Amino acid sequence: RQEYPGDFVFDYKDPVTLGRFIMEGGKISPARISKLSLAQQRRVADAIKRARSLALLPLGAPAYDQTGRPEATSAKPFTY
């Protein structure tokens, strides 16, 4: 059973949702663990990489030791 429908858009500006697909050491969890289809896994990996490049998510294992998980500030992701 999938939690996200096939046409769900993983937004790089929503670090809380993307944080669910990152393991303890900062690695992106594989599709067999995250229960995503191959296309969804590709989209979530691209969104995580984009969020990391914009410093919305920490990069690498030492950063996760210091910062931890992103905090949920609101139910909706922020917009510009």
Side-chain angles (χ1 to χ4, degrees), residues 15-16 69-74:
V16 176
R69 296 264 176 204
E71 292 184 20
T73 55
S74 67

Side-chain angles (χ1 to χ4, degrees), residues 14-24 27 29 44 48 57 64 69-70:
D14 186 11
V16 176
T17 302
L18 295 178
R20 297 187 65 223
F21 301 104
I22 299 175
M23 296 190 300
E24 289 277 324
K27 293 184 176 182
S29 62
V44 77
I48 289 172
L57 286 174
Y64 277 91
R69 296 264 176 204

Side-chain angles (χ1 to χ4, degrees), residues 2 5-6 13-14 39 41-42 52 68-69 72 74 77 79:
Q2 292 182 348
K13 296 176 283 191
D14 186 11
Q41 182 71 19
R42 201 174 307 119
R52 283 178 175 168
R69 296 264 176 204
S74 67
T79 56

Side-chain angles (χ1 to χ4, degrees), residues 48-68:
I48 289 172
K49 290 174 187 177
R50 185 170 291 161
R52 283 178 175 168
S53 69
L54 294 172
L56 298 175
L57 286 174
L59 180 66
Y64 277 91
D65 291 341
Q66 297 169 359
T67 59

